[in-house]
Amino acid sequence: HKHGDRIVHQMHRIAASPDWTRERFTMDPMLNQAVVEAFVRFHDQGLIYRDNRLVNWSPHMRTALSDLEVDHEDIPGTTLLSIPGYDDKVEVGVLCEFKYQI
């Protein structure tokens, strides 16, 4: 798995020593039902919730960043900005909505 391999590489770099024979990826078919069940239980117990939030998405790193990792800048609306790693300017200042079924 593309992302799972990245996580494993990071764990090796920090000298983590788990039992690698038991390594699994949460979206593997054999684990997917357990993951769904866990999320439903967490939601029912009020441990996780759905909400409308802004996400700091990095198109360069292709991941979400925490507020601590971001320099916030107000822009007037949809704007094209130069982003490291991209030849063309990238559209920013766009709100997207995602819905995950519970």
Side-chain angles (χ1 to χ4, degrees), residues 61-95:
M61 294 187 282
R62 296 183 178 170
T63 190
L65 304 173
S66 78
D67 285 342
L68 299 174
E69 300 171 293
V70 174
D71 294 326
H72 292 275
E73 180 181 333
D74 289 331
I75 57 174
T78 302
T79 305
L80 295 174
L81 292 178
S82 296
I83 304 289
Y86 285 80
D87 295 331
D88 297 325
K89 290 187 175 189
V90 175
E91 184 181 38
V92 298
V94 179
L95 294 178

PDB file of all heavy atoms in Angstrom, residues 61-95:
ATOM      1  N   MET A  61       2.367  18.074  -0.360  1.00  0.00           N
ATOM      2  CA  MET A  61       2.601  16.864   0.426  1.00  0.00           C
ATOM      3  C   MET A  61       1.440  15.881   0.322  1.00  0.00           C
ATOM      4  O   MET A  61       1.536  14.748   0.777  1.00  0.00           O
ATOM      5  CB  MET A  61       2.858  17.228   1.886  1.00  0.00           C
ATOM      6  CG  MET A  61       4.154  17.994   2.050  1.00  0.00           C
ATOM      7  SD  MET A  61       4.586  18.270   3.770  1.00  0.00           S
ATOM      8  CE  MET A  61       3.485  19.611   4.168  1.00  0.00           C
ATOM      9  N   ARG A  62       0.324  16.346  -0.250  1.00  0.00           N
ATOM     10  CA  ARG A  62      -0.876  15.531  -0.412  1.00  0.00           C
ATOM     11  C   ARG A  62      -1.350  14.944   0.912  1.00  0.00           C
ATOM     12  O   ARG A  62      -1.616  13.750   1.034  1.00  0.00           O
ATOM     13  CB  ARG A  62      -0.647  14.431  -1.447  1.00  0.00           C
ATOM     14  CG  ARG A  62      -0.381  14.984  -2.814  1.00  0.00           C
ATOM     15  CD  ARG A  62      -0.227  13.940  -3.837  1.00  0.00           C
ATOM     16  NE  ARG A  62      -0.012  14.590  -5.123  1.00  0.00           N
ATOM     17  CZ  ARG A  62       0.354  13.959  -6.205  1.00  0.00           C
ATOM     18  NH1 ARG A  62       0.531  12.676  -6.183  1.00  0.00           N
ATOM     19  NH2 ARG A  62       0.522  14.623  -7.322  1.00  0.00           N
ATOM     20  N   THR A  63      -1.433  15.829   1.899  1.00  0.00           N
ATOM     21  CA  THR A  63      -1.920  15.429   3.213  1.00  0.00           C
ATOM     22  C   THR A  63      -2.474  16.643   3.943  1.00  0.00           C
ATOM     23  O   THR A  63      -2.239  17.774   3.532  1.00  0.00           O
ATOM     24  CB  THR A  63      -0.787  14.772   4.039  1.00  0.00           C
ATOM     25  OG1 THR A  63      -1.342  14.186   5.209  1.00  0.00           O
ATOM     26  CG2 THR A  63       0.279  15.782   4.429  1.00  0.00           C
ATOM     27  N   ALA A  64      -3.190  16.400   4.997  1.00  0.00           N
ATOM     28  CA  ALA A  64      -3.693  17.478   5.836  1.00  0.00           C
ATOM     29  C   ALA A  64      -2.625  17.849   6.862  1.00  0.00           C
ATOM     30  O   ALA A  64      -1.851  16.993   7.303  1.00  0.00           O
ATOM     31  CB  ALA A  64      -4.973  17.048   6.545  1.00  0.00           C
ATOM     32  N   LEU A  65      -2.560  19.124   7.217  1.00  0.00           N
ATOM     33  CA  LEU A  65      -1.589  19.623   8.182  1.00  0.00           C
ATOM     34  C   LEU A  65      -2.314  20.178   9.404  1.00  0.00           C
ATOM     35  O   LEU A  65      -3.419  20.699   9.291  1.00  0.00           O
ATOM     36  CB  LEU A  65      -0.736  20.733   7.553  1.00  0.00           C
ATOM     37  CG  LEU A  65       0.001  20.375   6.271  1.00  0.00           C
ATOM     38  CD1 LEU A  65       0.651  21.609   5.679  1.00  0.00           C
ATOM     39  CD2 LEU A  65       1.035  19.296   6.534  1.00  0.00           C
ATOM     40  N   SER A  66      -1.659  20.110  10.542  1.00  0.00           N
ATOM     41  CA  SER A  66      -2.256  20.693  11.746  1.00  0.00           C
ATOM     42  C   SER A  66      -2.133  22.215  11.685  1.00  0.00           C
ATOM     43  O   SER A  66      -1.323  22.758  10.929  1.00  0.00           O
ATOM     44  CB  SER A  66      -1.546  20.172  12.995  1.00  0.00           C
ATOM     45  OG  SER A  66      -0.314  20.838  13.188  1.00  0.00           O
ATOM     46  N   ASP A  67      -2.929  22.902  12.486  1.00  0.00           N
ATOM     47  CA  ASP A  67      -2.859  24.363  12.534  1.00  0.00           C
ATOM     48  C   ASP A  67      -1.474  24.849  12.937  1.00  0.00           C
ATOM     49  O   ASP A  67      -1.056  25.936  12.540  1.00  0.00           O
ATOM     50  CB  ASP A  67      -3.905  24.916  13.514  1.00  0.00           C
ATOM     51  CG  ASP A  67      -5.312  24.859  12.959  1.00  0.00           C
ATOM     52  OD1 ASP A  67      -5.469  24.721  11.729  1.00  0.00           O
ATOM     53  OD2 ASP A  67      -6.258  24.950  13.751  1.00  0.00           O
ATOM     54  N   LEU A  68      -0.742  24.044  13.721  1.00  0.00           N
ATOM     55  CA  LEU A  68       0.597  24.439  14.166  1.00  0.00           C
ATOM     56  C   LEU A  68       1.608  24.441  13.030  1.00  0.00           C
ATOM     57  O   LEU A  68       2.652  25.078  13.117  1.00  0.00           O
ATOM     58  CB  LEU A  68       1.089  23.493  15.272  1.00  0.00           C
ATOM     59  CG  LEU A  68       0.246  23.469  16.544  1.00  0.00           C
ATOM     60  CD1 LEU A  68       0.758  22.389  17.485  1.00  0.00           C
ATOM     61  CD2 LEU A  68       0.268  24.827  17.219  1.00  0.00           C
ATOM     62  N   GLU A  69       1.312  23.720  11.946  1.00  0.00           N
ATOM     63  CA  GLU A  69       2.245  23.593  10.823  1.00  0.00           C
ATOM     64  C   GLU A  69       1.965  24.576   9.698  1.00  0.00           C
ATOM     65  O   GLU A  69       2.640  24.549   8.680  1.00  0.00           O
ATOM     66  CB  GLU A  69       2.162  22.173  10.251  1.00  0.00           C
ATOM     67  CG  GLU A  69       2.506  21.092  11.246  1.00  0.00           C
ATOM     68  CD  GLU A  69       2.211  19.707  10.713  1.00  0.00           C
ATOM     69  OE1 GLU A  69       1.018  19.398  10.515  1.00  0.00           O
ATOM     70  OE2 GLU A  69       3.172  18.957  10.485  1.00  0.00           O
ATOM     71  N   VAL A  70       0.987  25.456   9.890  1.00  0.00           N
ATOM     72  CA  VAL A  70       0.511  26.304   8.801  1.00  0.00           C
ATOM     73  C   VAL A  70       0.689  27.778   9.142  1.00  0.00           C
ATOM     74  O   VAL A  70       0.401  28.198  10.253  1.00  0.00           O
ATOM     75  CB  VAL A  70      -0.982  26.012   8.520  1.00  0.00           C
ATOM     76  CG1 VAL A  70      -1.542  26.973   7.490  1.00  0.00           C
ATOM     77  CG2 VAL A  70      -1.172  24.574   8.069  1.00  0.00           C
ATOM     78  N   ASP A  71       1.180  28.539   8.174  1.00  0.00           N
ATOM     79  CA  ASP A  71       1.180  29.994   8.281  1.00  0.00           C
ATOM     80  C   ASP A  71      -0.107  30.472   7.610  1.00  0.00           C
ATOM     81  O   ASP A  71      -0.273  30.331   6.405  1.00  0.00           O
ATOM     82  CB  ASP A  71       2.388  30.608   7.569  1.00  0.00           C
ATOM     83  CG  ASP A  71       3.696  30.245   8.229  1.00  0.00           C
ATOM     84  OD1 ASP A  71       3.720  30.121   9.465  1.00  0.00           O
ATOM     85  OD2 ASP A  71       4.697  30.070   7.512  1.00  0.00           O
ATOM     86  N   HIS A  72      -1.027  30.990   8.400  1.00  0.00           N
ATOM     87  CA  HIS A  72      -2.323  31.407   7.868  1.00  0.00           C
ATOM     88  C   HIS A  72      -2.210  32.743   7.158  1.00  0.00           C
ATOM     89  O   HIS A  72      -1.507  33.643   7.603  1.00  0.00           O
ATOM     90  CB  HIS A  72      -3.354  31.492   8.998  1.00  0.00           C
ATOM     91  CG  HIS A  72      -3.696  30.149   9.564  1.00  0.00           C
ATOM     92  ND1 HIS A  72      -4.648  29.333   9.013  1.00  0.00           N
ATOM     93  CD2 HIS A  72      -3.194  29.470  10.617  1.00  0.00           C
ATOM     94  CE1 HIS A  72      -4.724  28.219   9.700  1.00  0.00           C
ATOM     95  NE2 HIS A  72      -3.853  28.281  10.684  1.00  0.00           N
ATOM     96  N   GLU A  73      -2.894  32.854   6.038  1.00  0.00           N
ATOM     97  CA  GLU A  73      -2.903  34.080   5.245  1.00  0.00           C
ATOM     98  C   GLU A  73      -4.305  34.278   4.693  1.00  0.00           C
ATOM     99  O   GLU A  73      -4.859  33.370   4.070  1.00  0.00           O
ATOM    100  CB  GLU A  73      -1.897  33.950   4.088  1.00  0.00           C
ATOM    101  CG  GLU A  73      -1.819  35.137   3.193  1.00  0.00           C
ATOM    102  CD  GLU A  73      -0.831  34.948   2.061  1.00  0.00           C
ATOM    103  OE1 GLU A  73       0.126  34.173   2.221  1.00  0.00           O
ATOM    104  OE2 GLU A  73      -1.029  35.573   1.016  1.00  0.00           O
ATOM    105  N   ASP A  74      -4.898  35.428   4.940  1.00  0.00           N
ATOM    106  CA  ASP A  74      -6.219  35.719   4.405  1.00  0.00           C
ATOM    107  C   ASP A  74      -6.096  36.067   2.933  1.00  0.00           C
ATOM    108  O   ASP A  74      -5.218  36.827   2.529  1.00  0.00           O
ATOM    109  CB  ASP A  74      -6.862  36.893   5.151  1.00  0.00           C
ATOM    110  CG  ASP A  74      -7.282  36.529   6.564  1.00  0.00           C
ATOM    111  OD1 ASP A  74      -7.600  35.341   6.784  1.00  0.00           O
ATOM    112  OD2 ASP A  74      -7.294  37.410   7.437  1.00  0.00           O
ATOM    113  N   ILE A  75      -6.971  35.486   2.126  1.00  0.00           N
ATOM    114  CA  ILE A  75      -7.017  35.806   0.700  1.00  0.00           C
ATOM    115  C   ILE A  75      -8.452  36.195   0.371  1.00  0.00           C
ATOM    116  O   ILE A  75      -9.391  35.792   1.056  1.00  0.00           O
ATOM    117  CB  ILE A  75      -6.536  34.626  -0.180  1.00  0.00           C
ATOM    118  CG1 ILE A  75      -7.363  33.371   0.094  1.00  0.00           C
ATOM    119  CG2 ILE A  75      -5.066  34.356   0.031  1.00  0.00           C
ATOM    120  CD1 ILE A  75      -7.033  32.221  -0.831  1.00  0.00           C
ATOM    121  N   PRO A  76      -8.663  36.997  -0.670  1.00  0.00           N
ATOM    122  CA  PRO A  76      -9.991  37.540  -0.951  1.00  0.00           C
ATOM    123  C   PRO A  76     -10.982  36.514  -1.510  1.00  0.00           C
ATOM    124  O   PRO A  76     -12.157  36.791  -1.616  1.00  0.00           O
ATOM    125  CB  PRO A  76      -9.718  38.637  -1.982  1.00  0.00           C
ATOM    126  CG  PRO A  76      -8.450  38.226  -2.643  1.00  0.00           C
ATOM    127  CD  PRO A  76      -7.647  37.524  -1.578  1.00  0.00           C
ATOM    128  N   GLY A  77     -10.562  35.341  -1.850  1.00  0.00           N
ATOM    129  CA  GLY A  77     -11.427  34.329  -2.462  1.00  0.00           C
ATOM    130  C   GLY A  77     -10.573  33.397  -3.282  1.00  0.00           C
ATOM    131  O   GLY A  77      -9.370  33.252  -3.040  1.00  0.00           O
ATOM    132  N   THR A  78     -11.185  32.759  -4.265  1.00  0.00           N
ATOM    133  CA  THR A  78     -10.442  31.834  -5.115  1.00  0.00           C
ATOM    134  C   THR A  78      -9.235  32.542  -5.720  1.00  0.00           C
ATOM    135  O   THR A  78      -9.358  33.602  -6.319  1.00  0.00           O
ATOM    136  CB  THR A  78     -11.353  31.285  -6.226  1.00  0.00           C
ATOM    137  OG1 THR A  78     -12.476  30.652  -5.615  1.00  0.00           O
ATOM    138  CG2 THR A  78     -10.622  30.289  -7.080  1.00  0.00           C
ATOM    139  N   THR A  79      -8.052  31.945  -5.514  1.00  0.00           N
ATOM    140  CA  THR A  79      -6.791  32.555  -5.942  1.00  0.00           C
ATOM    141  C   THR A  79      -5.880  31.475  -6.492  1.00  0.00           C
ATOM    142  O   THR A  79      -5.893  30.341  -6.015  1.00  0.00           O
ATOM    143  CB  THR A  79      -6.095  33.221  -4.734  1.00  0.00           C
ATOM    144  OG1 THR A  79      -7.005  34.139  -4.121  1.00  0.00           O
ATOM    145  CG2 THR A  79      -4.840  33.957  -5.133  1.00  0.00           C
ATOM    146  N   LEU A  80      -5.088  31.808  -7.483  1.00  0.00           N
ATOM    147  CA  LEU A  80      -4.082  30.888  -8.007  1.00  0.00           C
ATOM    148  C   LEU A  80      -2.733  31.246  -7.389  1.00  0.00           C
ATOM    149  O   LEU A  80      -2.292  32.388  -7.468  1.00  0.00           O
ATOM    150  CB  LEU A  80      -4.005  30.964  -9.532  1.00  0.00           C
ATOM    151  CG  LEU A  80      -5.258  30.497 -10.282  1.00  0.00           C
ATOM    152  CD1 LEU A  80      -5.110  30.756 -11.781  1.00  0.00           C
ATOM    153  CD2 LEU A  80      -5.508  29.017 -10.040  1.00  0.00           C
ATOM    154  N   LEU A  81      -2.083  30.263  -6.742  1.00  0.00           N
ATOM    155  CA  LEU A  81      -0.794  30.485  -6.099  1.00  0.00           C
ATOM    156  C   LEU A  81       0.237  29.482  -6.597  1.00  0.00           C
ATOM    157  O   LEU A  81      -0.104  28.347  -6.944  1.00  0.00           O
ATOM    158  CB  LEU A  81      -0.913  30.326  -4.579  1.00  0.00           C
ATOM    159  CG  LEU A  81      -1.717  31.359  -3.816  1.00  0.00           C
ATOM    160  CD1 LEU A  81      -1.754  31.003  -2.337  1.00  0.00           C
ATOM    161  CD2 LEU A  81      -1.123  32.744  -3.997  1.00  0.00           C
ATOM    162  N   SER A  82       1.495  29.887  -6.590  1.00  0.00           N
ATOM    163  CA  SER A  82       2.585  28.963  -6.903  1.00  0.00           C
ATOM    164  C   SER A  82       2.825  28.072  -5.694  1.00  0.00           C
ATOM    165  O   SER A  82       2.946  28.554  -4.570  1.00  0.00           O
ATOM    166  CB  SER A  82       3.855  29.732  -7.234  1.00  0.00           C
ATOM    167  OG  SER A  82       3.670  30.507  -8.397  1.00  0.00           O
ATOM    168  N   ILE A  83       2.866  26.772  -5.923  1.00  0.00           N
ATOM    169  CA  ILE A  83       3.067  25.786  -4.862  1.00  0.00           C
ATOM    170  C   ILE A  83       4.306  24.980  -5.204  1.00  0.00           C
ATOM    171  O   ILE A  83       4.452  24.514  -6.344  1.00  0.00           O
ATOM    172  CB  ILE A  83       1.841  24.837  -4.750  1.00  0.00           C
ATOM    173  CG1 ILE A  83       0.552  25.620  -4.529  1.00  0.00           C
ATOM    174  CG2 ILE A  83       2.054  23.783  -3.674  1.00  0.00           C
ATOM    175  CD1 ILE A  83       0.401  26.266  -3.193  1.00  0.00           C
ATOM    176  N   PRO A  84       5.233  24.796  -4.238  1.00  0.00           N
ATOM    177  CA  PRO A  84       6.423  23.980  -4.520  1.00  0.00           C
ATOM    178  C   PRO A  84       6.039  22.598  -5.024  1.00  0.00           C
ATOM    179  O   PRO A  84       5.120  21.962  -4.505  1.00  0.00           O
ATOM    180  CB  PRO A  84       7.108  23.884  -3.150  1.00  0.00           C
ATOM    181  CG  PRO A  84       6.597  25.051  -2.378  1.00  0.00           C
ATOM    182  CD  PRO A  84       5.203  25.295  -2.871  1.00  0.00           C
ATOM    183  N   GLY A  85       6.724  22.152  -6.085  1.00  0.00           N
ATOM    184  CA  GLY A  85       6.467  20.832  -6.634  1.00  0.00           C
ATOM    185  C   GLY A  85       5.463  20.818  -7.775  1.00  0.00           C
ATOM    186  O   GLY A  85       5.218  19.784  -8.374  1.00  0.00           O
ATOM    187  N   TYR A  86       4.851  21.971  -8.087  1.00  0.00           N
ATOM    188  CA  TYR A  86       3.867  22.061  -9.167  1.00  0.00           C
ATOM    189  C   TYR A  86       4.353  23.055 -10.210  1.00  0.00           C
ATOM    190  O   TYR A  86       4.830  24.131  -9.881  1.00  0.00           O
ATOM    191  CB  TYR A  86       2.505  22.517  -8.636  1.00  0.00           C
ATOM    192  CG  TYR A  86       1.765  21.431  -7.896  1.00  0.00           C
ATOM    193  CD1 TYR A  86       2.079  21.137  -6.579  1.00  0.00           C
ATOM    194  CD2 TYR A  86       0.771  20.694  -8.520  1.00  0.00           C
ATOM    195  CE1 TYR A  86       1.418  20.135  -5.891  1.00  0.00           C
ATOM    196  CE2 TYR A  86       0.092  19.693  -7.845  1.00  0.00           C
ATOM    197  CZ  TYR A  86       0.427  19.419  -6.533  1.00  0.00           C
ATOM    198  OH  TYR A  86      -0.231  18.424  -5.874  1.00  0.00           O
ATOM    199  N   ASP A  87       4.228  22.687 -11.470  1.00  0.00           N
ATOM    200  CA  ASP A  87       4.620  23.584 -12.552  1.00  0.00           C
ATOM    201  C   ASP A  87       3.626  24.737 -12.711  1.00  0.00           C
ATOM    202  O   ASP A  87       4.015  25.874 -12.919  1.00  0.00           O
ATOM    203  CB  ASP A  87       4.721  22.823 -13.875  1.00  0.00           C
ATOM    204  CG  ASP A  87       5.840  21.787 -13.864  1.00  0.00           C
ATOM    205  OD1 ASP A  87       6.836  21.999 -13.143  1.00  0.00           O
ATOM    206  OD2 ASP A  87       5.698  20.767 -14.564  1.00  0.00           O
ATOM    207  N   ASP A  88       2.343  24.421 -12.633  1.00  0.00           N
ATOM    208  CA  ASP A  88       1.300  25.427 -12.797  1.00  0.00           C
ATOM    209  C   ASP A  88       0.839  25.931 -11.437  1.00  0.00           C
ATOM    210  O   ASP A  88       1.019  25.265 -10.419  1.00  0.00           O
ATOM    211  CB  ASP A  88       0.100  24.831 -13.547  1.00  0.00           C
ATOM    212  CG  ASP A  88       0.472  24.393 -14.955  1.00  0.00           C
ATOM    213  OD1 ASP A  88       1.306  25.065 -15.593  1.00  0.00           O
ATOM    214  OD2 ASP A  88      -0.074  23.364 -15.408  1.00  0.00           O
ATOM    215  N   LYS A  89       0.232  27.102 -11.430  1.00  0.00           N
ATOM    216  CA  LYS A  89      -0.332  27.629 -10.187  1.00  0.00           C
ATOM    217  C   LYS A  89      -1.512  26.762  -9.755  1.00  0.00           C
ATOM    218  O   LYS A  89      -2.181  26.141 -10.579  1.00  0.00           O
ATOM    219  CB  LYS A  89      -0.758  29.079 -10.360  1.00  0.00           C
ATOM    220  CG  LYS A  89       0.437  30.009 -10.517  1.00  0.00           C
ATOM    221  CD  LYS A  89       0.021  31.448 -10.509  1.00  0.00           C
ATOM    222  CE  LYS A  89       1.267  32.322 -10.544  1.00  0.00           C
ATOM    223  NZ  LYS A  89       0.953  33.732 -10.332  1.00  0.00           N
ATOM    224  N   VAL A  90      -1.759  26.726  -8.443  1.00  0.00           N
ATOM    225  CA  VAL A  90      -2.801  25.882  -7.856  1.00  0.00           C
ATOM    226  C   VAL A  90      -3.916  26.764  -7.311  1.00  0.00           C
ATOM    227  O   VAL A  90      -3.651  27.799  -6.689  1.00  0.00           O
ATOM    228  CB  VAL A  90      -2.199  25.008  -6.729  1.00  0.00           C
ATOM    229  CG1 VAL A  90      -3.279  24.218  -6.012  1.00  0.00           C
ATOM    230  CG2 VAL A  90      -1.133  24.085  -7.289  1.00  0.00           C
ATOM    231  N   GLU A  91      -5.146  26.350  -7.539  1.00  0.00           N
ATOM    232  CA  GLU A  91      -6.303  27.095  -7.033  1.00  0.00           C
ATOM    233  C   GLU A  91      -6.426  26.883  -5.521  1.00  0.00           C
ATOM    234  O   GLU A  91      -6.479  25.764  -5.038  1.00  0.00           O
ATOM    235  CB  GLU A  91      -7.574  26.610  -7.736  1.00  0.00           C
ATOM    236  CG  GLU A  91      -8.811  27.381  -7.347  1.00  0.00           C
ATOM    237  CD  GLU A  91     -10.046  26.857  -8.053  1.00  0.00           C
ATOM    238  OE1 GLU A  91     -10.174  25.629  -8.220  1.00  0.00           O
ATOM    239  OE2 GLU A  91     -10.887  27.685  -8.420  1.00  0.00           O
ATOM    240  N   VAL A  92      -6.452  27.982  -4.775  1.00  0.00           N
ATOM    241  CA  VAL A  92      -6.641  27.937  -3.324  1.00  0.00           C
ATOM    242  C   VAL A  92      -7.807  28.857  -2.969  1.00  0.00           C
ATOM    243  O   VAL A  92      -8.297  29.590  -3.805  1.00  0.00           O
ATOM    244  CB  VAL A  92      -5.361  28.357  -2.556  1.00  0.00           C
ATOM    245  CG1 VAL A  92      -4.215  27.411  -2.842  1.00  0.00           C
ATOM    246  CG2 VAL A  92      -4.963  29.783  -2.901  1.00  0.00           C
ATOM    247  N   GLY A  93      -8.224  28.806  -1.721  1.00  0.00           N
ATOM    248  CA  GLY A  93      -9.348  29.632  -1.294  1.00  0.00           C
ATOM    249  C   GLY A  93     -10.681  29.040  -1.705  1.00  0.00           C
ATOM    250  O   GLY A  93     -11.667  29.735  -1.854  1.00  0.00           O
ATOM    251  N   VAL A  94     -10.697  27.715  -1.863  1.00  0.00           N
ATOM    252  CA  VAL A  94     -11.896  27.011  -2.289  1.00  0.00           C
ATOM    253  C   VAL A  94     -12.370  26.150  -1.127  1.00  0.00           C
ATOM    254  O   VAL A  94     -11.583  25.456  -0.496  1.00  0.00           O
ATOM    255  CB  VAL A  94     -11.591  26.104  -3.500  1.00  0.00           C
ATOM    256  CG1 VAL A  94     -12.825  25.347  -3.934  1.00  0.00           C
ATOM    257  CG2 VAL A  94     -11.029  26.921  -4.641  1.00  0.00           C
ATOM    258  N   LEU A  95     -13.659  26.216  -0.823  1.00  0.00           N
ATOM    259  CA  LEU A  95     -14.225  25.356   0.216  1.00  0.00           C
ATOM    260  C   LEU A  95     -14.825  24.127  -0.445  1.00  0.00           C
ATOM    261  O   LEU A  95     -15.616  24.224  -1.370  1.00  0.00           O
ATOM    262  CB  LEU A  95     -15.309  26.102   1.005  1.00  0.00           C
ATOM    263  CG  LEU A  95     -14.824  27.282   1.829  1.00  0.00           C
ATOM    264  CD1 LEU A  95     -16.011  27.961   2.507  1.00  0.00           C
ATOM    265  CD2 LEU A  95     -13.831  26.822   2.887  1.00  0.00           C
TER     266      LEU A  95
END
